[in-house]
């Protein structure tokens, strides 16, 4: 009779240790080695946690070999562009899509919870001119813990819900005000008559008094529905991505019993890195470096040269060994925006040339180096006239419901412990 276990043998002394294999509903099974140190006196060694499952989760599933991404069992292609970002946020945090009535009520509450305490707004004035919006967002989110001290000790589900809805509503306001403060323009308060994503674009673009840019002849530069839909889809595609670096940071900080907004602020700090949430900024820097469509073959050749330090940004992914399913959706959005907004952007042309060159080159295909979400999101955000300094803050807005869902799941897990990995010591 077979057993659902794995036996590890120390070939130095012949001792064997048997551990249970735990099967999930999707994806690889895991070996429960939680008693391995107690049994053997050794640690496991896994830099970057490439083969380590740090938790049990019901939120997001990724199959990188088959280009699959699911939120709560729903394929990402059935959510992005087909359900609003707020409905997807509800799904992540509550475990199910809202009914039409619940969706309406959730949207209404988010609109009214979006306003910041004036003390937070005054905090912006204490920061230096030109501060990166990510630095300001981290500071403001951390400061929220001082204004909502009661969230440190949540006792029931209703308190959990209130905490999550509050920070979800305020994050785009913090982001927009952080940017406007960084460039010295007047802050724009939320408009409760506007949907979440439209409100964010409004707070970025509007003039005092709620006026949009005047184009002459009585015409204002109003926010177009296609722009709202595109940004809403980008937020949905960024909403969660399993146990990535920033989500793991949120969980690790949450495991210490820190304030939930402190855990979210820690996630913002982790996301800022160019190897994580800042990657789409690097894509745009690279397109500007290439400079012209005629230069694309030269840079493709440089990317293939092992002795050249140049690396093609926005291609390949740590998890996806084939196509990034989020990128497929964004590719369609990019084409739609180019047509409906009649875009004539040199950067878009360069991006298209890079994409075509890489997709037709065996070097990239053999290595599974396909365009990822960062390649398209940077181009689309540029088409939406989003300043490059706001690319990563938009990632934060999108990822917030995922972080909240992951934090809540951690807190409700009776088996959770404070994060405490060990090390292989090689010093004196």
């Amino acid at each position: 009779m077979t057993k659902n276990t794995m036996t590890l043998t120390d070939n130095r002394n012949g001792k064997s240790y048997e551990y249970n294999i735990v099967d999930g509903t999707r994806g690889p099974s895991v070996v429960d080695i939680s008693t391995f140190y107690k049994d053997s006196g050794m640690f496991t060694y896994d830099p970057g946690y490439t083969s380590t499952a740090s938790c049990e989760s019901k939120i997001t599933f990724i199959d990188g070999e088959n280009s699959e991404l699911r939120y709560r069992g729903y394929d990402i292609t059935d959510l992005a562009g087909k359900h609003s970002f707020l409905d997807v946020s509800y799904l992540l945090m509550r475990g199910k899509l809202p009914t039409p009535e619940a969706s309406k009520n959730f949207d209404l509450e988010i609109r009214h919870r979006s306003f910041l305490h004036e003390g937070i707004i005054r905090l912006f004035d204490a920061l230096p001119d030109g501060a990166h919006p990510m630095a300001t967002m981290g500071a403001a989110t951390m400061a929220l813990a001082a204004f909502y001290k009661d969230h440190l000790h949540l006792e029931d589900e209703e308190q959990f819900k209130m905490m999550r809805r509050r920070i979800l509503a305020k994050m785009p306001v913090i982001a927009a005000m952080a940017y406007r403060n960084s460039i010295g323009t007047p802050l724009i308060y939320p408009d409760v008559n506007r949907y979440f994503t439209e409100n964010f674009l409004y707070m970025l673009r509007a003039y005092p008094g709620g006026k949009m840019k005047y184009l002459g002849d009585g015409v204002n530069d109003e926010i177009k529905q296609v722009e709202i839909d595109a940004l809403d889809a980008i937020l949905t595609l960024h909403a969660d991505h399993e146990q990535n670096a920033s989500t793991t940071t949120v969980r690790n900080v949450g495991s210490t019993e820190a304030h939930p907004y402190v855990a979210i602020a820690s996630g913002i700090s982790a996301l800022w890195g160019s190897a994580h949430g800042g990657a789409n900024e690097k894509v745009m820097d690279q397109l500007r470096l290439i400079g012209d469509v005629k230069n694309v073959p030269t840079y493709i050749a440089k990317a293939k040269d092992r002795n050249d330090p140049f690396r093609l940004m926005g291609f390949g992914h740590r998890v996806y060994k084939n196509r990034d399913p989020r990128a497929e959706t964004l590719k369609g959005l990019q084409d739609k925006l180019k047509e409906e907004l009649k875009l004539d952007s040199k950067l878009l042309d360069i991006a298209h040339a890079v994409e075509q060159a890489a997709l037709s080159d065996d070097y990239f295909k053999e290595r599974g180096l396909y365009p990822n979400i960062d390649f398209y999101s940077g181009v689309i955000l540029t088409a939406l006239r989003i300043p490059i300094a706001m690319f990563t803050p938009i990632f934060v807005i999108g990822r917030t419901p995922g972080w909240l869902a992951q934090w809540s799941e951690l807190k409700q897990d009776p088996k959770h412990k404070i994060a405490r990995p060990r090390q292989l010591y090689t010093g004196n």
Side-chain angles (χ1 to χ4, degrees):
M1 180 178 178
T2 59
K3 295 192 295 183
N4 205 34
T5 62
M6 176 179 285
T7 300
L8 303 179
T9 301
D10 184 344
N11 292 320
R12 298 172 303 177
N13 54 31
K15 290 185 178 180
S16 294
Y17 310 95
E18 187 174 7
Y19 298 100
N20 290 326
I21 295 174
V22 183
D23 300 313
T25 53
R26 297 177 186 270
S29 300
V30 302
V31 181
D32 182 358
I33 58 169
S34 53
T35 63
F36 183 69
Y37 173 63
K38 179 181 177 182
D39 297 338
S40 68
M42 293 184 287
F43 301 138
T44 58
Y45 182 59
D46 184 20
Y49 312 118
T50 57
S51 299
T52 298
S54 63
C55 63
E56 179 181 329
S57 182
K58 295 180 173 66
I59 300 170
T60 298
F61 172 74
I62 297 172
D63 182 346
E65 303 295 335
N66 295 303
S67 301
E68 184 179 7
L69 171 63
R70 292 178 178 271
Y71 296 164
R72 300 287 190 181
Y74 289 88
D75 192 285
I76 193 64
T77 57
D78 295 326
L79 295 173
K82 298 174 184 176
H83 293 271
S84 73
F85 171 68
L86 285 187
D87 282 356
V88 173
S89 298
Y90 187 102
L91 167 68
L92 287 169
M93 296 189 296
R94 299 290 299 279
K96 59 184 179 181
L97 284 169
T99 63
E101 182 179 5
S103 175
K104 181 179 179 180
N105 291 336
F106 187 61
D107 179 15
L108 190 63
E109 181 176 358
I110 293 299
R111 294 177 192 230
H112 286 91
R113 285 195 182 278
S114 62
F115 292 86
L116 298 180
H117 191 289
E118 289 297 313
I120 293 291
I121 296 175
R122 288 195 293 272
L123 173 68
F124 294 153
D125 292 335
L127 298 173
D129 294 341
H132 195 289
M134 282 294 284
T136 305
M137 286 187 75
T141 304
M142 182 74 75
L144 285 177
F147 289 87
Y148 301 102
K149 299 182 289 292
D150 55 321
H151 290 341
L152 183 58
H153 302 291
L154 301 174
E155 296 179 353
D156 56 44
E157 180 62 18
E158 285 306 312
Q159 289 178 313
F160 267 80
K161 292 177 185 176
M162 180 184 296
M163 178 277 294
R164 295 183 304 214
R165 293 188 297 247
R166 176 170 280 145
I167 186 68
L168 177 65
K170 297 184 188 309
M171 197 61 79
V173 185
I174 291 173
M177 288 188 173
Y179 173 70
R180 294 185 74 110
N181 186 73
S182 74
I183 60 173
T185 57
L187 304 185
I188 301 297
Y189 283 67
D191 180 351
V192 293
N193 291 314
R194 297 176 186 268
Y195 167 68
F196 186 91
T197 307
E198 180 188 4
N199 216 349
F200 174 68
L201 290 172
Y202 163 75
M203 288 184 288
L204 277 186
R205 297 180 183 177
Y207 287 79
K211 302 296 184 181
M212 302 302 291
K213 184 177 181 181
Y214 182 62
L215 300 177
D217 297 325
V219 178
N220 289 317
D221 184 20
E222 296 297 334
I223 299 166
K224 298 175 177 63
Q225 188 62 46
V226 66
E227 296 177 292
I228 299 168
D229 293 343
L231 184 55
D232 211 59
I234 285 178
L235 295 178
T236 294
L237 292 168
H238 281 99
D240 197 55
H241 210 237
E242 205 224 55
Q243 304 310 312
N244 53 80
S246 56
T247 298
T248 298
T249 298
V250 170
R251 278 185 172 261
N252 284 352
V253 175
S255 76
T256 70
E257 306 300 330
H259 192 289
Y261 294 165
V262 170
I264 299 299
S266 300
I268 292 173
S269 297
L271 190 69
W272 194 359
S274 61
H276 193 7
N280 51 13
E281 290 189 32
K282 295 299 181 183
V283 169
M284 300 313 297
D285 290 342
Q286 179 176 268
L287 294 178
R288 291 187 177 91
L289 173 66
I290 294 172
D292 195 285
V293 169
K294 67 182 181 182
N295 298 328
V296 169
T298 299
Y299 281 91
I300 291 292
K302 285 166 66 68
K304 293 160 60 175
D305 183 352
R306 289 185 177 182
N307 297 319
D308 194 304
F310 178 80
R311 294 292 178 267
L312 196 60
M313 300 298 295
F315 284 76
H317 194 275
R318 169 77 172 267
V319 174
Y320 298 112
K321 305 308 177 187
N322 204 313
R323 295 179 182 269
D324 183 339
R326 303 167 300 172
E328 298 294 303
T329 299
L330 287 188
K331 167 63 175 169
L333 273 173
Q334 175 183 285
D335 295 341
K336 184 178 180 181
L337 281 171
K338 189 169 185 177
E339 180 180 342
E340 294 198 24
L341 297 181
K342 296 180 174 56
L343 299 175
D344 184 19
S345 168
K346 186 176 183 179
L347 287 179
L348 282 174
D349 292 338
I350 296 171
H352 179 71
V354 170
E355 174 191 20
Q356 293 304 308
L359 290 177
S360 61
D361 194 308
D362 289 341
Y363 176 90
F364 294 95
K365 290 191 286 186
E366 289 169 1
R367 291 163 174 77
L369 298 177
Y370 295 97
N372 59 37
I373 190 172
D374 298 313
F375 183 78
Y376 293 116
S377 63
V379 173
I380 291 174
L381 291 175
T382 298
L384 293 176
R385 294 178 289 161
I386 302 291
I388 195 169
M390 288 302 292
F391 285 9
T392 314
I394 284 173
F395 199 154
V396 171
I397 297 169
R399 185 54 55 86
T400 296
W403 285 337
L404 292 167
Q406 297 278 351
W407 183 93
S408 298
E409 186 176 69
L410 167 81
K411 289 298 179 180
Q412 294 167 353
D413 181 358
K415 297 182 293 184
H416 94 265
K417 300 178 181 179
I418 185 172
R420 180 56 169 93
R422 304 304 294 268
Q423 65 179 13
L424 172 64
Y425 181 71
T426 57
N428 295 325

